[in-house]
Amino acid sequence: MLQFSANLSLLFNEYPLPQRFAAAKASGFDAVEIQFPYSVPAAELRQLLDDNGLRLVLFNVDADTLLQGGEGLAAVPEKRQDFQRAVEQALGYAELLRPGAINVLPGRCLNSERLAEFRATFLENLDYAVRVFAERDIITVFEAVNSFDMPGFIVDSSAQMLKILHDLNHPQLCLQYDIYHMSRMGEDCADFLRRHIGQVGHIQFADCPGRGQPGSGAVDFSALFQIIRDSDYAGWTGAEYRPSAVTADSLAWLKSCSAGNIRGV
């Protein structure tokens, strides 16, 4: 099944966030995702979703200063209590917004001598988050991020994701598979999805190189979208790219898929 969500942290950013909901709906999306929704009250987001007939399918647990070059929260031993507070904050938003999944970003380790300690802390914190969210029947996902764009990220490969999934072995824990990040790391995304899509709870994509819309780089989206469509995957496939111009002009891929022409992507 192919069902697309618009990541409102990157798409339609020619508008203020509250206006992006209507823009996404007008462009053909029935669902959206937001990286970090916490600057807007949950009740206001709920109203925007309801007014536009949209679902919010995913958001992240707060990651502190990760996007500004920091280490994040989920793997830093000294920030365990901060991470637990962030999980409680995410849970509060989830009770109103009812996402299908919540993403926990592993974060960076900027001191290589502490890498093993950071990875162990991440496993403990991820296990905590899974148990909290599972009580509300919410799936927890986590993702690998390429270490070119984000040096020091502690999970940067599919093999690492699969090992973490195996080690924690919780039915409410799944992978968030990001086609851009794994393409940037030189991985074969098509092969991974054919073999492991049953362990994936959410998919995100952008072309590579450049992180633009499909068709701006070298990724074969025709093949990847066909694999997803032909599989038993019932989750959402999130457009998380940086449009090369206004977002509406970057949606030829969506129009092709809506018309059933995946080969034309």
Side-chain angles (χ1 to χ4, degrees), residues 88-144:
E88 293 302 319
Q89 178 190 41
L91 185 61
Y93 268 67
E95 287 175 346
L96 272 181
L97 302 179
R98 301 188 294 275
I102 298 177
N103 183 38
V104 177
L105 285 159
R108 313 177 199 241
C109 178
L110 301 179
N111 178 353
S112 60
E113 294 181 359
R114 300 190 69 191
L115 181 57
E117 184 185 6
F118 270 55
R119 285 178 170 162
T121 299
F122 175 63
L123 281 178
E124 294 170 7
N125 282 338
L126 183 60
D127 182 69
Y128 171 81
V130 172
R131 295 180 187 280
V132 169
F133 296 144
E135 291 180 357
R136 300 294 197 280
D137 199 28
I138 300 168
I139 291 172
T140 302
V141 295
F142 68 100
E143 66 178 311

Side-chain angles (χ1 to χ4, degrees), residues 23-68:
K25 185 66 175 182
S27 295
F29 291 99
D30 292 321
V32 296
E33 54 192 70
I34 303 173
Q35 290 175 347
F36 302 102
Y38 308 108
S39 63
V40 180
E44 183 178 335
L45 293 172
R46 180 72 263 162
Q47 191 64 54
L48 288 165
L49 292 166
D50 292 343
D51 288 348
N52 292 285
L54 291 166
R55 292 181 58 186
L56 180 65
V57 296
L58 178 87
F59 60 84
N60 299 338
V61 174
D62 185 58
D64 197 25
T65 59
L66 178 66
L67 298 187
Q68 291 76 45

Side-chain angles (χ1 to χ4, degrees), residues 4 15 32 37 60-61 120 122 173 185 231 233 256-257:
F4 293 108
Y15 305 109
V32 296
N60 299 338
V61 174
F122 175 63
L173 179 65
M185 294 301 293
S231 74
Y233 178 70
S256 292
C257 290

Side-chain angles (χ1 to χ4, degrees), residues 13 18 30 43 48 60 74 79 85 95 99 162 202 209-210 215-216 232 250:
N13 60 12
D30 292 321
L48 288 165
N60 299 338
K79 294 183 177 180
R85 283 192 288 268
E95 287 175 346
L162 289 170
H202 190 72
S216 63
D232 292 330
S250 75

Side-chain angles (χ1 to χ4, degrees), residues 234-253:
W236 293 84
T237 301
E240 193 192 36
Y241 60 81
R242 297 191 179 99
S244 57
V246 298
T247 304
D249 293 339
S250 75
L251 296 174
W253 63 270

Side-chain angles (χ1 to χ4, degrees), residues 179 183 189-190 193 219-229:
I179 289 167
S183 295
C189 296
L193 290 173
V219 174
D220 184 354
F221 282 100
S222 297
L224 294 176
F225 288 166
Q226 191 69 50
I227 291 168
I228 297 167
R229 192 185 74 169

